[in-house]
């Protein structure tokens, strides 16, 4: 008696340029379709790509909501993000449909903390303004104090949120001779690196405020006009978390009025920002980077590998290593 060979699970991958060998590894076990477009897939293209698939390996910019999940179809069991942040995902919609969604904590903490530390140094010491002046041939023509910055050593760093990236930054800050304090709304303990302080105290006593909280309805716009006004006029604000947490208009106004010394942003609302006339790019006391917190080949490969391991686990009937709370495989899948 001849049987039809069982078809292999189908896996879609939303980017062609993910580093490392994890996608090739998936292709040895599954029928893998990789997005072939030159630009990232728009929502309809992502849904077409994932349609009829058992798994999708996606990145943080891919929007995973109810409409996408319905269009992808009932075979879809797992969406594995190569991203720690998951504000692009409608977790409730995935939970209702029995789709596991996974993300990549741990593997990017040190790499992202490196960028947060770099932004502290760049913004506080006015390093980009100095380099820009050199490029204009102005070294020597400026007043002696034009590029004076503020010391990083001896300054107090206030961390909003105290997860893996914040703790990795606390370790770096200690090495730079900074004092460290943090605010987390529920975990109110001190540790050897940092002491817990109330939110208002953190704003008013920190020389550098660095944001390390996910973007949620509660944290959206959490640093606005009032919060900036509570910070010291000599303070620096750094954001490597998500753009929507900071009110950018309020930040620009505070910098222009001299109510805040400087800021460094690796994340913005409405990414990518491609207008060269964007007011964020013109403010001399604001350092902006194109969301490069986790952007090293090694770390992005580790993120892709963890996403692939999540797919392999779910398709193999095992628990995903790093699922989002509230999402799980549906029974009988
Ligand atoms: C993350 O993993 O959340 C980084 O911001 C890249 O999206």
């Amino acid at each position: 008696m001849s049987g039809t060979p069982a078809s292999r699970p189908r896996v879609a991958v939303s980017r062609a340029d993910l580093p490392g060998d994890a996608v090739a590894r998936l292709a040895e076990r599954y029928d893998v379709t990789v997005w072939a477009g030159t630009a990232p897939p728009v929502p309809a293209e992502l849904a077409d790509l994932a349609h009829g698939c058992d798994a999708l390996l996606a990145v943080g910019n891919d929007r995973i909501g109810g409409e996408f999940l319905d269009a992808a179809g009932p075979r879809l069991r797992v969406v594995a993000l190569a991203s720690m942040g998951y504000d692009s995902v409608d977790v409730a919609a995935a939970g209702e449909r029995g789709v596991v969604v996974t993300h990549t904590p741990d593997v990017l903490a040190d790499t992202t903390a490196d960028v947060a530390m770099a932004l502290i140094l760049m913004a506080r010491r006015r390093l980009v303004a100095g380099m820009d002046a050199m490029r204009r041939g102005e070294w020597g023509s400026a007043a002696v104090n034009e590029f004076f910055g503020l010391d990083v050593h001896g300054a107090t760093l206030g961390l909003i949120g105290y997860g893996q990236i914040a703790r990795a930054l606390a370790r770096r800050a200690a090495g730079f001779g900074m004092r460290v304090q943090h605010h987390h709304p529920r975990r109110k303990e001190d540790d050897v690196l940092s002491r817990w302080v109330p939110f208002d105290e953190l704003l008013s006593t920190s020389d550098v405020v660095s944001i390390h909280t996910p973007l949620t309805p509660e944290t959206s716009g959490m640093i606005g006009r009032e919060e900036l006004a509570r910070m010291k006029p000599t303070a620096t604000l750094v954001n490597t978390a998500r753009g929507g947490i900071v009110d950018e208009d309020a930040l620009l106004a505070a910098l222009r009025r001299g109510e805040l010394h400087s800021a460094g942003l690796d994340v913005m609302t409405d990414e990518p920002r491609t207008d060269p006339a964007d007011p964020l790019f013109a403010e001399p006391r604001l350092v902006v980077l194109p969301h490069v917190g986790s952007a090293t080949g090694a770390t992005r490969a580790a993120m892709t590998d963890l996403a692939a391991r999540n797919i392999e686990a779910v398709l193999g009937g095992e628990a995903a290593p790093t699922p989002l709370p509230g999402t799980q495989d549906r029974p009988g899948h």
Side-chain angles (χ1 to χ4, degrees):
M1 217 169 83
S2 70
T4 315
S7 65
R8 301 201 304 172
R10 294 174 59 190
V11 177
V13 178
S14 78
R15 295 294 187 281
D17 52 358
L18 296 172
D21 56 9
V23 175
R25 190 177 80 230
L26 290 175
E28 287 169 10
R29 298 178 61 182
Y30 311 118
D31 285 340
V32 170
T33 308
V34 178
W35 171 246
T38 46
V42 299
E45 292 169 333
L46 187 69
D48 277 352
L49 181 77
H51 183 73
C53 286
D54 302 87
L56 169 68
L57 198 164
V59 300
N61 295 342
D62 296 325
R63 301 224 75 81
I64 309 296
E67 208 176 318
F68 163 80
L69 294 166
D70 291 338
R75 271 182 73 148
L76 190 68
R77 294 174 65 177
V78 52
V79 175
L81 300 179
S83 164
M84 177 168 171
Y86 52 89
D87 44 288
S88 56
V89 177
D90 183 338
V91 177
E96 282 158 17
R97 288 162 181 78
V99 176
V100 188
V101 184
T102 67
H103 69 142
T104 56
D106 304 311
V107 291
L108 49 67
D110 281 305
T111 302
T112 305
D114 287 344
V115 167
M117 194 67 222
L119 282 173
I120 294 170
L121 294 162
M122 288 160 86
R124 219 159 160 71
R125 294 297 307 271
R126 309 205 54 227
L127 302 180
V128 176
M131 187 168 166
D132 284 348
M134 286 182 76
R135 284 185 165 143
R136 291 192 301 266
E138 290 173 5
W139 188 9
S141 59
V144 171
N145 65 0
E146 181 162 356
F147 299 116
F148 278 4
L150 293 172
D151 280 325
V152 170
H153 70 270
T156 297
L157 170 65
L159 302 162
I160 298 180
Y162 202 51
Q164 293 159 352
I165 298 171
R167 288 196 295 270
L169 179 56
R171 290 194 293 276
R172 283 153 180 76
F176 274 85
M178 300 181 84
R179 280 183 299 275
V180 186
Q181 55 189 11
H182 67 274
H183 177 80
H184 188 284
R186 293 176 305 283
R187 296 199 301 271
K188 299 189 177 177
E189 312 89 44
D190 303 341
D191 68 16
V192 288
L193 290 170
S194 174
R195 71 184 184 103
W196 183 91
V197 290
F199 185 62
D200 282 351
E201 184 179 331
L202 181 131
L203 291 178
S204 62
T205 62
S206 297
D207 300 301
V208 178
V209 172
S210 187
I211 301 171
H212 301 282
T213 186
L215 176 62
T216 65
E218 291 72 43
T219 64
S220 176
M222 96 188 276
I223 301 296
R225 195 165 52 86
E226 284 175 26
E227 291 73 22
L228 291 163
R230 273 183 237 151
M231 289 171 60
K232 297 181 184 182
T234 50
T236 300
L237 178 71
V238 167
N239 189 7
T240 52
R242 282 294 181 268
I245 298 168
V246 174
D247 177 338
E248 288 163 0
D249 291 337
L251 175 62
L252 278 177
L255 289 167
R256 285 175 186 149
R257 288 197 295 258
E259 292 164 4
L260 192 70
H261 175 263
S262 51
L265 304 178
D266 183 42
V267 288
M268 279 142 258
T269 54
D270 303 326
E271 296 176 8
R273 303 280 280 252
T274 53
D275 178 2
D278 193 317
L280 287 184
F281 304 166
E283 170 50 49
R285 288 184 179 266
L286 176 58
V287 178
V288 284
L289 298 175
H291 201 148
V292 293
S294 63
T296 67
T299 292
R300 290 276 167 89
M303 293 161 72
T304 309
D305 181 70
L306 179 52
R309 282 191 279 128
N310 275 293
I311 289 175
E312 289 161 333
V314 175
L315 297 187
E318 289 163 20
T322 51
L324 298 187
T327 69
Q328 56 181 349
D329 207 4
R330 40 184 186 275
H333 233 157

